[in-house]
Amino acid sequence: MMWYFLMSDAFTFGAFLISYGTIRFASNGWPDPNEVFQSFPGLGSGLPLAFVSLMTFILIISSVTMVLAVQAGHAMDKKAVVRNLIWTIIGGIAFLSCQAWEWTHLYHEGAWWGSNPFTNMDGTKASTNFTNFFFTITGFHGFHVFSGVIINIIMLIMTLNNVFERKGHYLMIEKAGLYWHFVDLVWVFVFTCFYLI
Amino acid sequence: MSFTDNYQEVSHHHDFDREAARKEVIRVTVILTVITIVELILGFVMMGVHNEFMRHVIKGAICVFMLAKAFYIVAYFMHLKHEVRNLIMTIVVPLGLFIWFIIAFLTDGNSYRNLKNKYDPYHYEQSQIKVEKPAKSDHGSHDAKKEGAIE
């Protein structure tokens, strides 16, 4: 069933991203992501793509540790499950912290729903579509990451309580893993659509 | 959902080889990392390219890499490649709707823009006016210049 839930979620995200694409195609100008996202905490600005690359790698690595947790579950290796779940949770929290920093930073620059301080790439006045879509879609994705972290924490508690040991299998972790990979998958698309192109 | 349901739903590996699985994870991680780095390089290359056509080519290439990444995550991390064929089909076939979805909506957006520019010259003129900015190329002082630019 997890697969079908994820499919419906994929359509939700797909609808978001396609409406973003449609509006972008319908606009005469659009802000330059390299000008908007160019700051790195502690290093100032002028570093396009740097911070978002860090966020991307954090999420990929947390996906990898999740796979390792699922595989450890297959092998009924409780210790490895716990270790990898903890790493995954740390990765998720790190990603959320990065996003919180980025949102705060953009907010201080005057960007928010309904307010866009950035101009289009060609220097013309931009509408608020860009910021509206950015905060809505990354916010929706961030909410998924947040719920993923909560699910993983629940899985960790259940593992520590030997729930899966008693059941004789760790299939539940596999399902939590599916959800977590899906969050990573969505980020691949969000990252490309907002930051790269 | 009971456990027996779960067992029927997810194909299970009886002879699970952990070492082989571990190697596969490492391989896929390396692939994903390399693709991401290539994407980032393309992103940096694109900053120096101002030819409209070339930019579209690079953006297309980035989209192809994005789909490759999506494939690796779904097939290996989410394990879809090793599920039974019928499950794969019930997932992949409905997602085929996206092909229509993307083409239809993006062309619609594009045609809307062309029609509006053609029949609403005022809109087009307004959208060509450059915003006066005191320090356009000043990348260092974002906080200072954004203050008055919100409206």
Side-chain angles (χ1 to χ4, degrees), chain A residues 101-144:
Chain A
W101 181 85
E102 184 171 51
W103 274 43
T104 316
H105 176 74
L106 287 170
Y107 179 75
H108 286 308
E109 289 196 326
W112 203 238
W113 278 279
S115 135
N116 181 4
F118 308 106
T119 56
N120 287 333
M121 213 180 248
D122 54 4
T124 56
K125 190 177 184 312
S127 70
T128 58
N129 286 333
F130 172 75
T131 43
N132 291 346
F133 274 114
F134 174 78
F135 285 113
T136 305
I137 295 178
T138 57
F140 198 62
H141 175 263
F143 177 67
H144 274 75

Short mmCIF file of all heavy atoms in Angstrom, two decimals, chain A residues 101-144:
data_model
loop_
_atom_site.label_atom_id
_atom_site.label_comp_id
_atom_site.label_asym_id
_atom_site.label_seq_id
_atom_site.Cartn_x
_atom_site.Cartn_y
_atom_site.Cartn_z
N TRP A 101 17.51 27.64 7.78
CA TRP A 101 18.44 28.76 7.60
C TRP A 101 18.15 29.48 6.28
O TRP A 101 18.10 30.71 6.23
CB TRP A 101 19.89 28.26 7.59
CG TRP A 101 20.83 29.40 7.43
CD1 TRP A 101 21.30 30.21 8.42
CD2 TRP A 101 21.34 29.93 6.20
NE1 TRP A 101 22.09 31.19 7.88
CE2 TRP A 101 22.12 31.05 6.52
CE3 TRP A 101 21.20 29.57 4.86
CZ2 TRP A 101 22.78 31.81 5.56
CZ3 TRP A 101 21.85 30.32 3.90
CH2 TRP A 101 22.63 31.43 4.25
N GLU A 102 17.94 28.70 5.23
CA GLU A 102 17.73 29.32 3.92
C GLU A 102 16.46 30.16 3.90
O GLU A 102 16.44 31.28 3.38
CB GLU A 102 17.66 28.24 2.85
CG GLU A 102 17.55 28.82 1.46
CD GLU A 102 17.71 27.78 0.39
OE1 GLU A 102 17.03 26.76 0.47
OE2 GLU A 102 18.53 27.99 -0.52
N TRP A 103 15.38 29.61 4.48
CA TRP A 103 14.12 30.37 4.52
C TRP A 103 14.31 31.66 5.31
O TRP A 103 13.85 32.72 4.90
CB TRP A 103 13.03 29.52 5.19
CG TRP A 103 12.32 28.61 4.24
CD1 TRP A 103 12.88 27.85 3.26
CD2 TRP A 103 10.91 28.36 4.19
NE1 TRP A 103 11.91 27.13 2.62
CE2 TRP A 103 10.70 27.43 3.17
CE3 TRP A 103 9.82 28.82 4.92
CZ2 TRP A 103 9.43 26.95 2.84
CZ3 TRP A 103 8.56 28.35 4.60
CH2 TRP A 103 8.37 27.42 3.57
N THR A 104 14.98 31.56 6.46
CA THR A 104 15.19 32.76 7.28
C THR A 104 15.98 33.79 6.51
O THR A 104 15.64 34.97 6.49
CB THR A 104 15.96 32.38 8.56
OG1 THR A 104 15.40 31.18 9.08
CG2 THR A 104 15.89 33.47 9.60
N HIS A 105 17.03 33.31 5.85
CA HIS A 105 17.87 34.22 5.09
C HIS A 105 17.06 34.93 3.99
O HIS A 105 17.13 36.15 3.85
CB HIS A 105 19.02 33.42 4.47
CG HIS A 105 19.90 34.24 3.58
ND1 HIS A 105 20.80 35.15 4.08
CD2 HIS A 105 19.98 34.32 2.24
CE1 HIS A 105 21.42 35.74 3.07
NE2 HIS A 105 20.94 35.25 1.94
N LEU A 106 16.27 34.14 3.26
CA LEU A 106 15.47 34.75 2.18
C LEU A 106 14.43 35.71 2.76
O LEU A 106 14.16 36.75 2.19
CB LEU A 106 14.78 33.65 1.35
CG LEU A 106 15.70 32.85 0.43
CD1 LEU A 106 14.96 31.66 -0.15
CD2 LEU A 106 16.21 33.72 -0.70
N TYR A 107 13.88 35.33 3.90
CA TYR A 107 12.88 36.20 4.53
C TYR A 107 13.50 37.54 4.87
O TYR A 107 12.89 38.59 4.66
CB TYR A 107 12.33 35.52 5.79
CG TYR A 107 11.31 36.35 6.51
CD1 TYR A 107 10.01 36.48 6.00
CD2 TYR A 107 11.63 37.03 7.67
CE1 TYR A 107 9.08 37.27 6.64
CE2 TYR A 107 10.70 37.81 8.32
CZ TYR A 107 9.42 37.92 7.80
OH TYR A 107 8.50 38.71 8.43
N HIS A 108 14.73 37.51 5.37
CA HIS A 108 15.39 38.77 5.72
C HIS A 108 15.75 39.58 4.49
O HIS A 108 15.97 40.78 4.58
CB HIS A 108 16.62 38.49 6.58
CG HIS A 108 16.26 38.09 7.98
ND1 HIS A 108 15.41 38.85 8.75
CD2 HIS A 108 16.57 37.00 8.72
CE1 HIS A 108 15.24 38.25 9.92
NE2 HIS A 108 15.92 37.12 9.91
N GLU A 109 15.85 38.89 3.35
CA GLU A 109 16.10 39.64 2.12
C GLU A 109 14.82 40.23 1.56
O GLU A 109 14.83 40.92 0.55
CB GLU A 109 16.74 38.73 1.08
CG GLU A 109 18.17 38.38 1.41
CD GLU A 109 18.91 37.82 0.21
OE1 GLU A 109 18.27 37.13 -0.60
OE2 GLU A 109 20.11 38.10 0.10
N GLY A 110 13.70 39.92 2.19
CA GLY A 110 12.42 40.48 1.75
C GLY A 110 11.59 39.52 0.92
O GLY A 110 10.55 39.88 0.40
N ALA A 111 12.05 38.27 0.79
CA ALA A 111 11.29 37.29 0.02
C ALA A 111 10.35 36.53 0.94
O ALA A 111 10.75 36.08 2.01
CB ALA A 111 12.24 36.31 -0.66
N TRP A 112 9.11 36.40 0.53
CA TRP A 112 8.12 35.64 1.28
C TRP A 112 6.94 35.42 0.36
O TRP A 112 6.96 35.88 -0.79
CB TRP A 112 7.72 36.41 2.55
CG TRP A 112 7.15 35.56 3.65
CD1 TRP A 112 5.94 35.70 4.23
CD2 TRP A 112 7.78 34.44 4.31
NE1 TRP A 112 5.77 34.74 5.21
CE2 TRP A 112 6.87 33.96 5.27
CE3 TRP A 112 9.02 33.80 4.16
CZ2 TRP A 112 7.16 32.86 6.10
CZ3 TRP A 112 9.29 32.71 4.98
CH2 TRP A 112 8.37 32.25 5.93
N TRP A 113 5.93 34.72 0.83
CA TRP A 113 4.74 34.61 0.00
C TRP A 113 4.22 36.02 -0.29
O TRP A 113 4.04 36.81 0.65
CB TRP A 113 3.64 33.82 0.72
CG TRP A 113 3.79 32.34 0.61
CD1 TRP A 113 3.42 31.56 -0.44
CD2 TRP A 113 4.32 31.44 1.60
NE1 TRP A 113 3.71 30.23 -0.16
CE2 TRP A 113 4.26 30.14 1.07
CE3 TRP A 113 4.86 31.63 2.88
CZ2 TRP A 113 4.69 29.02 1.77
CZ3 TRP A 113 5.30 30.52 3.57
CH2 TRP A 113 5.20 29.23 3.02
N GLY A 114 4.01 36.34 -1.53
CA GLY A 114 3.46 37.65 -1.87
C GLY A 114 4.48 38.77 -1.90
O GLY A 114 4.10 39.92 -2.03
N SER A 115 5.74 38.45 -1.77
CA SER A 115 6.74 39.51 -1.84
C SER A 115 8.02 38.99 -2.46
O SER A 115 8.58 37.99 -2.01
CB SER A 115 6.98 40.05 -0.42
OG SER A 115 8.35 40.21 -0.16
N ASN A 116 8.43 39.63 -3.54
CA ASN A 116 9.60 39.15 -4.26
C ASN A 116 10.57 40.29 -4.51
O ASN A 116 10.33 41.14 -5.37
CB ASN A 116 9.16 38.53 -5.59
CG ASN A 116 10.34 37.98 -6.37
OD1 ASN A 116 11.46 37.99 -5.90
ND2 ASN A 116 10.08 37.53 -7.59
N PRO A 117 11.67 40.35 -3.79
CA PRO A 117 12.61 41.45 -3.95
C PRO A 117 13.52 41.28 -5.17
O PRO A 117 14.25 42.21 -5.51
CB PRO A 117 13.43 41.39 -2.66
CG PRO A 117 13.42 39.96 -2.30
CD PRO A 117 12.11 39.40 -2.75
N PHE A 118 13.51 40.12 -5.79
CA PHE A 118 14.45 39.85 -6.87
C PHE A 118 13.87 40.28 -8.21
O PHE A 118 12.66 40.22 -8.41
CB PHE A 118 14.79 38.36 -6.91
CG PHE A 118 15.24 37.83 -5.60
CD1 PHE A 118 14.40 37.03 -4.83
CD2 PHE A 118 16.49 38.16 -5.09
CE1 PHE A 118 14.81 36.56 -3.59
CE2 PHE A 118 16.90 37.69 -3.86
CZ PHE A 118 16.06 36.89 -3.11
N THR A 119 14.75 40.70 -9.10
CA THR A 119 14.28 41.04 -10.44
C THR A 119 14.46 39.83 -11.35
O THR A 119 15.12 38.86 -11.00
CB THR A 119 15.09 42.20 -11.03
OG1 THR A 119 16.46 41.84 -11.00
CG2 THR A 119 14.86 43.48 -10.25
N ASN A 120 13.86 39.94 -12.54
CA ASN A 120 14.04 38.87 -13.51
C ASN A 120 15.48 38.86 -14.00
O ASN A 120 16.23 39.80 -13.80
CB ASN A 120 13.09 39.06 -14.69
CG ASN A 120 11.67 38.74 -14.30
OD1 ASN A 120 11.43 37.95 -13.40
ND2 ASN A 120 10.73 39.37 -14.98
N MET A 121 15.81 37.78 -14.68
CA MET A 121 17.17 37.61 -15.18
C MET A 121 17.59 38.77 -16.08
O MET A 121 18.73 39.21 -16.05
CB MET A 121 17.22 36.31 -15.97
CG MET A 121 18.52 35.59 -15.90
SD MET A 121 18.38 34.11 -16.86
CE MET A 121 18.45 32.88 -15.63
N ASP A 122 16.64 39.28 -16.88
CA ASP A 122 16.98 40.36 -17.81
C ASP A 122 16.81 41.74 -17.17
O ASP A 122 16.83 42.76 -17.86
CB ASP A 122 16.13 40.25 -19.07
CG ASP A 122 14.64 40.21 -18.75
OD1 ASP A 122 14.30 40.34 -17.56
OD2 ASP A 122 13.83 40.04 -19.68
N GLY A 123 16.61 41.78 -15.85
CA GLY A 123 16.54 43.06 -15.17
C GLY A 123 15.16 43.68 -15.13
O GLY A 123 14.99 44.78 -14.61
N THR A 124 14.15 42.98 -15.67
CA THR A 124 12.80 43.52 -15.61
C THR A 124 12.16 43.14 -14.27
O THR A 124 12.67 42.29 -13.54
CB THR A 124 11.94 42.99 -16.76
OG1 THR A 124 11.96 41.57 -16.71
CG2 THR A 124 12.48 43.46 -18.10
N LYS A 125 11.03 43.79 -14.00
CA LYS A 125 10.37 43.57 -12.72
C LYS A 125 9.74 42.17 -12.67
O LYS A 125 9.07 41.76 -13.61
CB LYS A 125 9.29 44.63 -12.53
CG LYS A 125 8.70 44.66 -11.13
CD LYS A 125 7.69 45.79 -11.05
CE LYS A 125 7.13 45.95 -9.65
NZ LYS A 125 6.67 44.72 -9.03
N ALA A 126 9.97 41.45 -11.58
CA ALA A 126 9.43 40.10 -11.48
C ALA A 126 8.12 40.11 -10.69
O ALA A 126 7.93 40.95 -9.81
CB ALA A 126 10.43 39.19 -10.77
N SER A 127 7.24 39.16 -11.02
CA SER A 127 6.02 39.02 -10.22
C SER A 127 6.36 38.21 -8.97
O SER A 127 7.49 37.75 -8.80
CB SER A 127 4.96 38.29 -11.04
OG SER A 127 5.35 36.95 -11.20
N THR A 128 5.36 38.03 -8.11
CA THR A 128 5.62 37.26 -6.89
C THR A 128 5.48 35.75 -7.14
O THR A 128 5.60 34.97 -6.20
CB THR A 128 4.66 37.68 -5.77
OG1 THR A 128 3.34 37.48 -6.23
CG2 THR A 128 4.86 39.12 -5.39
N ASN A 129 5.22 35.34 -8.38
CA ASN A 129 5.04 33.91 -8.66
C ASN A 129 6.23 33.10 -8.19
O ASN A 129 6.09 32.02 -7.63
CB ASN A 129 4.86 33.68 -10.16
CG ASN A 129 3.50 34.11 -10.62
OD1 ASN A 129 2.55 34.12 -9.86
ND2 ASN A 129 3.39 34.49 -11.88
N PHE A 130 7.42 33.63 -8.45
CA PHE A 130 8.63 32.88 -8.13
C PHE A 130 8.69 32.54 -6.64
O PHE A 130 8.85 31.38 -6.27
CB PHE A 130 9.86 33.70 -8.55
CG PHE A 130 11.15 33.11 -8.09
CD1 PHE A 130 11.67 31.99 -8.70
CD2 PHE A 130 11.84 33.67 -7.03
CE1 PHE A 130 12.86 31.44 -8.27
CE2 PHE A 130 13.02 33.13 -6.59
CZ PHE A 130 13.53 32.01 -7.21
N THR A 131 8.55 33.54 -5.78
CA THR A 131 8.65 33.26 -4.35
C THR A 131 7.46 32.43 -3.87
O THR A 131 7.62 31.56 -3.03
CB THR A 131 8.74 34.56 -3.52
OG1 THR A 131 7.81 35.49 -4.03
CG2 THR A 131 10.12 35.14 -3.59
N ASN A 132 6.27 32.71 -4.41
CA ASN A 132 5.11 31.92 -3.99
C ASN A 132 5.34 30.43 -4.24
O ASN A 132 5.14 29.61 -3.35
CB ASN A 132 3.85 32.35 -4.75
CG ASN A 132 3.39 33.73 -4.36
OD1 ASN A 132 3.83 34.26 -3.34
ND2 ASN A 132 2.52 34.30 -5.14
N PHE A 133 5.78 30.12 -5.44
CA PHE A 133 6.02 28.71 -5.77
C PHE A 133 7.17 28.15 -4.94
O PHE A 133 7.10 27.03 -4.44
CB PHE A 133 6.31 28.53 -7.26
CG PHE A 133 5.07 28.38 -8.08
CD1 PHE A 133 4.72 29.35 -9.00
CD2 PHE A 133 4.25 27.28 -7.93
CE1 PHE A 133 3.57 29.22 -9.76
CE2 PHE A 133 3.10 27.14 -8.69
CZ PHE A 133 2.76 28.12 -9.61
N PHE A 134 8.23 28.94 -4.81
CA PHE A 134 9.38 28.44 -4.08
C PHE A 134 9.01 28.06 -2.65
O PHE A 134 9.29 26.95 -2.19
CB PHE A 134 10.51 29.47 -4.07
CG PHE A 134 11.66 29.05 -3.21
CD1 PHE A 134 12.57 28.11 -3.67
CD2 PHE A 134 11.82 29.54 -1.93
CE1 PHE A 134 13.61 27.68 -2.87
CE2 PHE A 134 12.86 29.13 -1.12
CZ PHE A 134 13.76 28.20 -1.60
N PHE A 135 8.34 28.98 -1.95
CA PHE A 135 8.04 28.69 -0.54
C PHE A 135 6.98 27.60 -0.41
O PHE A 135 7.04 26.77 0.50
CB PHE A 135 7.61 29.96 0.19
CG PHE A 135 8.76 30.88 0.48
CD1 PHE A 135 8.86 32.11 -0.13
CD2 PHE A 135 9.76 30.50 1.36
CE1 PHE A 135 9.94 32.95 0.12
CE2 PHE A 135 10.84 31.33 1.62
CZ PHE A 135 10.93 32.55 1.00
N THR A 136 6.01 27.58 -1.31
CA THR A 136 4.98 26.54 -1.22
C THR A 136 5.58 25.16 -1.45
O THR A 136 5.38 24.24 -0.66
CB THR A 136 3.88 26.80 -2.27
OG1 THR A 136 3.38 28.11 -2.08
CG2 THR A 136 2.75 25.79 -2.12
N ILE A 137 6.37 25.03 -2.53
CA ILE A 137 6.85 23.68 -2.88
C ILE A 137 7.96 23.23 -1.94
O ILE A 137 7.92 22.10 -1.44
CB ILE A 137 7.29 23.64 -4.37
CG1 ILE A 137 6.07 23.88 -5.25
CG2 ILE A 137 7.94 22.31 -4.69
CD1 ILE A 137 6.35 23.92 -6.72
N THR A 138 8.93 24.10 -1.65
CA THR A 138 9.95 23.64 -0.70
C THR A 138 9.34 23.46 0.69
O THR A 138 9.78 22.60 1.45
CB THR A 138 11.16 24.59 -0.61
OG1 THR A 138 10.69 25.88 -0.24
CG2 THR A 138 11.92 24.67 -1.89
N GLY A 139 8.33 24.25 1.00
CA GLY A 139 7.66 24.08 2.29
C GLY A 139 6.96 22.74 2.38
O GLY A 139 7.05 22.02 3.37
N PHE A 140 6.27 22.39 1.29
CA PHE A 140 5.56 21.11 1.26
C PHE A 140 6.56 19.95 1.34
O PHE A 140 6.33 18.97 2.05
CB PHE A 140 4.74 21.03 -0.02
CG PHE A 140 3.64 20.01 0.00
CD1 PHE A 140 2.61 20.09 0.91
CD2 PHE A 140 3.64 18.96 -0.92
CE1 PHE A 140 1.60 19.14 0.92
CE2 PHE A 140 2.63 18.02 -0.91
CZ PHE A 140 1.62 18.11 0.02
N HIS A 141 7.68 20.12 0.64
CA HIS A 141 8.70 19.08 0.71
C HIS A 141 9.32 19.02 2.11
O HIS A 141 9.52 17.94 2.66
CB HIS A 141 9.78 19.35 -0.34
CG HIS A 141 10.93 18.39 -0.24
ND1 HIS A 141 12.08 18.70 0.43
CD2 HIS A 141 11.08 17.13 -0.68
CE1 HIS A 141 12.89 17.67 0.38
NE2 HIS A 141 12.32 16.69 -0.29
N GLY A 142 9.59 20.20 2.68
CA GLY A 142 10.16 20.23 4.03
C GLY A 142 9.23 19.56 5.03
O GLY A 142 9.68 18.86 5.94
N PHE A 143 7.92 19.75 4.83
CA PHE A 143 6.96 19.10 5.71
C PHE A 143 7.05 17.57 5.58
O PHE A 143 6.95 16.84 6.57
CB PHE A 143 5.55 19.59 5.38
CG PHE A 143 4.48 18.93 6.19
CD1 PHE A 143 4.40 19.16 7.55
CD2 PHE A 143 3.57 18.07 5.61
CE1 PHE A 143 3.42 18.53 8.30
CE2 PHE A 143 2.59 17.45 6.35
CZ PHE A 143 2.52 17.68 7.71
N HIS A 144 7.27 17.11 4.34
CA HIS A 144 7.45 15.67 4.14
C HIS A 144 8.71 15.18 4.84
O HIS A 144 8.72 14.10 5.43
CB HIS A 144 7.54 15.34 2.65
CG HIS A 144 6.21 15.15 2.00
ND1 HIS A 144 5.37 16.19 1.71
CD2 HIS A 144 5.56 14.03 1.61
CE1 HIS A 144 4.28 15.71 1.16
NE2 HIS A 144 4.35 14.40 1.09
#
